[in-house]
Amino acid sequence: MGKAILIVDDSASVRQVVSIALKGAGYDVIEGCDGKDALTKLNGQKIHLIISDVNMPNMDGITFVKEVKKLPNYKFTPIIMLTTESQDSKKAEGKAAGVRAWITKPFQPSQLVDAVARLCP
């Protein structure tokens, strides 16, 4: 069994592209359609890394990261933001919340897999 990665994005097509890239690299993938949905997936199972969008309905990515960091089982789980947001202020907000890496869409799947491999050896 590979390492489990939680993908959180309201775009089904983005989740599919990320999922295909990660499964191809040997990872197990769990999907959440927004921050609120993704929190329900954090039910004690081991998650090695989280990839989240910023702009989502119900709960945005930055709020989601803050909520994840409150959970004892997941407070040290590395988080990558995969988003169209590229402003330094958003990146700083993400970093303050606990984000470890920031990848701007559009992205190359190989770039994402490399970042995952660095944070989830």
Side-chain angles (χ1 to χ4, degrees), residues 1-83:
M1 191 168 136
K3 292 186 174 180
I5 299 181
L6 175 62
I7 303 168
V8 189
D9 199 306
D10 56 318
S11 165
S13 59
V14 169
R15 287 196 314 269
Q16 184 177 23
V17 168
V18 173
S19 179
I20 289 168
L22 292 174
K23 286 178 180 173
Y27 295 99
D28 292 329
V29 174
I30 300 159
E31 296 184 17
C33 61
D34 59 45
K36 210 171 215 174
D37 178 50
L39 281 176
T40 69
K41 314 276 187 200
L42 298 175
N43 54 10
Q45 65 183 315
K46 178 68 178 156
I47 302 285
H48 295 87
L49 184 126
I50 297 169
I51 299 171
S52 178
D53 190 9
V54 171
N55 299 313
M56 298 179 288
N58 301 319
M59 181 186 291
D60 70 274
I62 303 286
T63 304
F64 169 67
V65 170
K66 290 176 182 172
E67 291 301 312
V68 168
K69 295 300 178 184
K70 290 178 189 173
L71 302 170
N73 288 354
Y74 303 103
K75 75 176 170 194
F76 298 114
T77 303
I79 300 174
I80 297 174
M81 292 314 251
L82 179 63
T83 177

Side-chain angles (χ1 to χ4, degrees), residues 98-115:
V99 173
R100 296 276 300 278
W102 196 280
I103 298 175
T104 308
K105 295 175 190 171
F107 66 99
Q108 292 299 319
S110 59
Q111 173 194 15
L112 178 68
V113 171
D114 288 348

